[in-house]
Amino acid sequence: MTTLAEARAQFVGGRRYLGACSLGMATSSTLEAMRADQADWAAGRCSPAKYDAVIDRTRASFARLMNVDAGRVAIGSQTSAMVSVLAAAVPAGREVLCVDGDFSSMVFPFVVAQGRGVVVRHVALEALAASITPATHLVAFSLVQSSSGRVADVDAIVAAARANGAFTLCDTTQAAGAMPVDASLFDATVCHAYKWLCAPRGAAFLTLAEGYQQTLAPLQANWYAGEDIWGSCYGPNMNLAADARGFDVSPAWPVWVGAEPAIELFASLDLAEVHAHNVALGDALCDGLGIPRRGQAIVTWPDADGRHLQALVAAGIVASGRAGCARVAFHLWNDSRDVADVLTALAPVP
């Protein structure tokens, strides 16, 4: 088990960086691995077999992080592409239940599917569980809302889905690495690891429960999804892996070199401790702003004209603006000084 202090030592920066919800920071181990890979590439020391081993280890680390077997994990590069495969499997006339205002990668593939008769309904996050009916084929939601940091009531959603015979798809991009996540609770999860997991952009994961996988077609079938990867380079005969690896997408190798140490680091942490650290800072900021505590790592507040965001940026604080609000995110590299810096930067702003 890696301690929080040991993990923090992996980040050379982080002061005034409140942007994990937009982009994570590279660990020293990730930078070292990617530099070594570039040197090997230049010297002609790289090989596909080397990268296969990297991906195998990274898949295993992610599976451990998410409480699933490695055989239930597929790799990819973008969550929207993975969600599109699931959207294509929804029968015409059946309903997909989405969260109003959820991140577009979790919504647009289903909106496109409306063109062939799929029914898509959008409800408020707090109404999601109560809105599931026997007509619902799939419930698609983010565990943590990107725009606000609100956390879904997983127990209620999963219970309602099971009671109504609906499948569940959970986007964990804004949660994995910041809090404990149990992917085994869902029929499918997607996660792009470049945010709280601090991997390079282009490393994404799909987890599939075995029963749900049987309802899907591997629309992105390719050589890397073959049961025997290097025996699958040429057609016409296709023999895809029987487990979730049959939904793998051919990897961008250098990205996975950087992802391996990042995913391994977070898989070795007590994520309940990380979550408590992040939430404590978020609540401290809420106290300073005079707004109700959210119990969240992401804190937002109204900023329609962008003045608060401008003040934060002028003070050298990395923050973001979403849906008419200023947005900051606290991760393991932050401390109470970052809270104080935000409050100081905003003090002169009406």
Side-chain angles (χ1 to χ4, degrees), residues 207-222:
T207 72
L208 292 172
E210 187 172 0
Y212 182 54
Q213 180 185 330
Q214 302 309 311
T215 73
L216 307 174
L219 299 182
Q220 300 180 102
N222 65 97

Side-chain angles (χ1 to χ4, degrees), residues 75-99:
I75 66 161
S77 57
Q78 305 291 338
T79 55
S80 57
M82 294 171 166
V83 174
S84 293
V85 172
L86 310 187
V90 180
R94 297 300 304 277
E95 177 186 88
V96 177
L97 189 61
C98 296
V99 173

Side-chain angles (χ1 to χ4, degrees), residues 167-257:
F167 295 114
T168 51
L169 163 62
C170 181
D171 182 356
T172 68
T173 300
Q174 292 286 5
M179 61 189 291
V181 178
D182 186 351
S184 71
L185 297 174
F186 311 105
D187 295 294
T189 70
V190 290
C191 179
H192 203 153
Y194 74 100
K195 294 182 184 285
W196 302 85
L197 287 170
C198 300
R201 183 169 170 83
F205 300 89
L206 167 69
T207 72
L208 292 172
E210 187 172 0
Y212 182 54
Q213 180 185 330
Q214 302 309 311
T215 73
L216 307 174
L219 299 182
Q220 300 180 102
N222 65 97
W223 63 278
Y224 204 80
E227 183 65 43
D228 173 10
I229 293 176
W230 295 103
S232 302
C233 293
Y234 308 104
N237 296 325
M238 182 177 74
N239 183 26
L240 299 183
D243 60 11
R245 201 172 59 74
F247 290 78
D248 276 3
V249 175
S250 176
W253 286 323
V255 167
W256 291 90
V257 170

